[in-house]
Amino acid sequence: MKKVKQTILNLSLKTKWILTVGATIFISYAIISIVLFIALQTWLLHNEEKNAMRTVDDITSFFESQSSAVTIQQLQNNTALMKAILNQEQTVRIFNFDGVEVIRINDVMHAAPLPQMTGDYFSPIIKQQKVETTDAFVVHKIVQIGPFQGMMQMIHPLTTFHAMLKYILTTIIIVGLGALLFSVSISYYLANFLIKPLVQLRDAMIDVRKRGFSAQPPFNYRADDEIGDLLTMYRSMMNELEISFTRQQQFVADASHELRTPIQVIEGHLSLIKRWGKDDPEVLAEALDTSLEEIVRMKKMIEELLQLARREEVDGHAIADVELVLKNVERELVQLYPNVQFEYDVIGQKELASITEQAAGQIFRNIISNGIRYNEQEPTIQLSIQYTKLAIIVTISDNGIGISEKHLPFIFDRFYRVDEARTNHIGGTGLGLSILKMLAEKYRIEINVKSSVDKGTSFILNFPLN
Ligand code: ADP
């Protein structure tokens, strides 16, 4: 049983489909046909019985209508009238009580054995039985013909009934086979039509596994149904996967490239120490300082890379007071850069932003520390917080060196650093704004940047209110 189940499970989807449709139609048709056949058989048999009884009644009435002096001989000479009462297949015989046949009307069937006279045969008694090899209704009844009393035997053969049943059965089987053949061929075409895109999808997946994302065979299924949805979903998932795969490759390539530079610098300085540093304390001190600087930069880069790679789930219930977060960031940065000035401007009724305090802190810290570092004057950071009905708009402006128009579109790219003589000495990883962009996308924060060289840069952040 288990083996049969497994064999059925292992069949192709198309075969399973056709078998299911075929079996369902066959079983339904068989049940309907059996019920119909039994009902028809009962009805027809009942009709035959009624016919037989009617003939017996008619013959009895005929005998009763004869005068009381009528003799058997008279009736024997005139059977034509009685024949008209019977149909062609019925045979009636009258026996005396010694079992001798005295009258025979029609002679289609042989006589059936006479019953033992135990029952009350004054009213007709009908039985379905075989007469020689033919199935028939046999009716026995005591009749009075003038002074004569005897037993009437009427045989009503069921040949027409059986022929009719045979005919109905043949029709049912032929129609059933035709319907089965028709439904199986329809379901074969339907299965072919519906399973084709699934087969295409499977082949496409095999192709992608073998040849990578470049192998994207087109699907020619255009219907707007579940299969159409599945194909659209597959296409969009594949596109997303391809984008994220390419991004990851790019990320690994960029990261290894960026980490190679500080390692090379450290390697150079260590060789320098090995060759001359032991004897020259000045070279030793300088080489160690530079190496340490590079190590700190590498450490920061690794931390930031890990942060970018982690991509935690969005906390839907998070809330943050942006003013409070900004104050905390200010407190941290003032310790690192004591000469920085902060100016605040708050408009509107305070609202809470849907973001974790940690993420908001990271965003503000990255922007403000850039404003301080990329600055050749006493850094002043202007913070404007505007509460509207739909959003909290935070504008962070600095009086730094600014970003030229040609660089502005790329500052959020990973490892992108504006490579100009003025910024070269400022240690950075080019990841700070990428982290900012990742967080902004996560919490649906809109960012706009305005900058003019030598005047300063403004980051406008739009925190949507739910
Ligand atoms: P980094 O670690 O190099 O600061 P970021 O991703 O934070 O990396 O910034 C990318 C680049 O954008 C920086 O290298 C810098 O050239 C430029 N930049 C960012 N913010 C400012 C700013 N406020 N003023 C001038 N230049 C900026």
Side-chain angles (χ1 to χ4, degrees):
M1 190 66 200
K2 240 182 178 180
K3 225 172 168 187
V4 174
K5 209 172 161 189
Q6 196 54 45
T7 317
I8 292 175
L9 275 177
N10 288 347
L11 288 174
S12 77
L13 202 57
K14 192 159 85 183
T15 319
K16 271 189 256 185
W17 182 313
I18 294 167
L19 280 181
T20 314
V21 171
T24 314
I25 290 179
F26 179 73
I27 292 169
S28 323
Y29 183 79
I31 292 172
I32 295 173
S33 302
I34 289 169
V35 170
L36 248 168
F37 185 75
I38 291 173
L40 258 172
Q41 188 190 31
T42 316
W43 184 77
L44 282 174
L45 196 65
H46 183 67
N47 240 16
E48 294 288 330
E49 190 183 331
K50 256 172 44 188
N51 276 349
M53 292 306 271
R54 194 182 305 126
T55 307
V56 169
D57 288 348
D58 288 351
I59 286 281
T60 312
S61 308
F62 174 77
F63 289 148
E64 279 167 3
S65 67
Q66 299 300 308
S67 76
S68 55
V70 71
T71 62
I72 295 293
Q73 282 74 22
Q74 280 171 332
L75 286 178
Q76 274 172 340
N77 296 334
N78 189 16
T79 54
L81 208 61
M82 292 184 284
K83 268 188 183 168
I85 299 172
L86 271 60
N87 74 28
Q88 286 170 349
E89 291 170 339
Q90 293 170 328
T91 307
V92 169
R93 289 186 175 84
I94 312 282
F95 297 91
N96 64 20
F97 290 124
D98 296 329
V100 180
E101 182 183 319
V102 290
I103 300 178
R104 182 185 303 169
I105 313 162
N106 268 358
D107 191 13
V108 189
M109 302 284 294
H110 286 275
L114 283 172
Q116 305 279 308
M117 289 296 283
T118 43
D120 172 17
Y121 283 90
F122 285 100
S123 34
I125 290 183
I126 187 161
K127 260 190 195 156
Q128 188 180 348
Q129 67 185 73
K130 283 250 184 253
V131 178
E132 296 199 315
T133 52
T134 315
D135 191 23
F137 273 130
V138 179
V139 190
H140 287 103
K141 188 182 186 233
I142 291 174
V143 280
Q144 187 76 42
I145 307 167
F148 173 82
Q149 203 176 44
M151 174 69 82
M152 175 171 74
Q153 180 184 71
M154 204 284 287
I155 300 176
H156 176 97
L158 293 171
T159 30
T160 320
F161 163 75
H162 283 298
M164 188 94 106
L165 279 190
K166 209 167 151 189
Y167 177 76
I168 292 170
L169 198 66
T170 316
T171 315
I172 285 177
I173 290 172
I174 291 173
V175 172
L177 283 178
L180 190 68
L181 207 72
F182 179 71
S183 65
V184 164
S185 26
I186 292 272
S187 76
Y188 175 81
Y189 281 110
L190 206 67
N192 248 353
F193 173 71
L194 291 173
I195 289 169
K196 205 166 145 197
L198 290 182
V199 173
Q200 278 182 0
L201 184 64
R202 182 198 58 193
D203 293 347
M205 285 176 174
I206 295 174
D207 236 25
V208 169
R209 196 175 61 184
K210 270 194 202 150
R211 299 195 284 135
F213 288 107
S214 56
Q216 287 280 14
F219 301 116
N220 47 12
Y221 191 82
R222 294 275 169 268
D224 191 17
D225 55 10
E226 286 86 345
I227 293 181
D229 289 349
L230 183 73
L231 296 183
T232 317
M233 194 96 95
Y234 169 77
R235 239 180 262 127
S236 85
M237 257 171 62
M238 271 309 176
N239 283 344
E240 263 177 46
L241 263 179
E242 190 179 2
I243 291 169
S244 113
F245 181 71
T246 328
R247 242 193 234 158
Q248 244 175 19
Q249 269 188 331
Q250 185 66 39
F251 183 64
V252 172
D254 286 353
S256 45
H257 178 261
E258 290 299 315
L259 284 169
R260 196 178 296 139
T261 320
I263 289 172
Q264 278 169 347
V265 173
I266 296 168
E267 192 187 18
H269 281 94
L270 287 179
S271 336
L272 210 67
I273 297 172
K274 198 179 170 191
R275 249 181 275 159
W276 295 293
K278 282 174 241 157
D279 313 316
D280 188 342
E282 217 173 285
V283 172
L284 181 69
E286 199 196 316
L288 282 177
D289 279 350
T290 322
S291 301
L292 262 176
E293 246 172 56
E294 288 302 322
I295 285 174
V296 169
R297 205 165 84 85
M298 246 166 64
K299 199 175 134 196
K300 187 168 182 248
M301 194 185 284
I302 289 168
E303 269 166 17
E304 289 181 335
L305 276 173
L306 282 176
Q307 204 175 347
L308 268 176
R310 249 197 316 266
R311 286 187 172 262
E312 285 141 0
E313 284 289 301
V314 179
D315 181 357
H317 301 289
I319 41 165
D321 177 345
V322 291
E323 275 177 66
L324 203 76
V325 176
L326 277 168
K327 286 274 180 217
N328 288 339
V329 172
E330 177 191 343
R331 207 172 304 128
E332 268 174 48
L333 290 176
V334 165
Q335 299 209 335
L336 282 174
Y337 310 98
N339 60 341
V340 62
Q341 294 292 318
F342 281 88
E343 288 170 12
Y344 280 88
D345 179 23
V346 181
I347 306 168
Q349 186 73 32
K350 183 185 270 188
E351 293 278 1
L352 297 175
S354 312
I355 184 169
T356 59
E357 288 190 351
Q358 200 197 355
Q362 177 102 47
I363 290 173
F364 297 146
R365 196 178 303 111
N366 286 4
I367 296 174
I368 298 171
S369 70
N370 278 355
I372 301 169
R373 289 186 301 134
Y374 299 102
N375 206 321
E376 290 171 342
Q377 313 173 39
E378 286 266 290
T380 306
I381 305 295
Q382 281 183 328
L383 300 166
S384 144
I385 304 153
Q386 196 183 336
Y387 296 105
T388 69
K389 269 195 181 144
L390 298 174
I392 305 172
I393 303 159
V394 178
T395 311
I396 304 172
S397 310
D398 61 57
N399 56 341
I401 59 174
I403 307 160
S404 64
E405 229 168 273
K406 68 171 182 190
H407 292 298
L408 209 52
F410 309 108
I411 56 168
F412 292 102
D413 293 355
R414 272 176 193 158
F415 303 109
Y416 191 84
R417 306 202 63 219
V418 178
D419 199 10
E420 278 174 358
R422 294 160 78 185
T423 59
N424 265 352
H425 63 283
I426 304 166
T429 56
L431 289 172
L433 292 184
S434 313
I435 294 173
L436 173 80
K437 191 177 156 211
M438 183 265 286
L439 289 172
E441 275 170 6
K442 197 160 137 179
Y443 289 100
R444 293 183 297 119
I445 301 161
E446 205 185 300
I447 312 173
N448 280 303
V449 188
K450 285 181 188 153
S451 188
S452 61
V453 177
D454 288 333
K455 284 197 180 124
T457 309
S458 291
F459 281 82
I460 302 134
L461 307 173
N462 193 315
F463 294 82
L465 291 176
N466 287 337

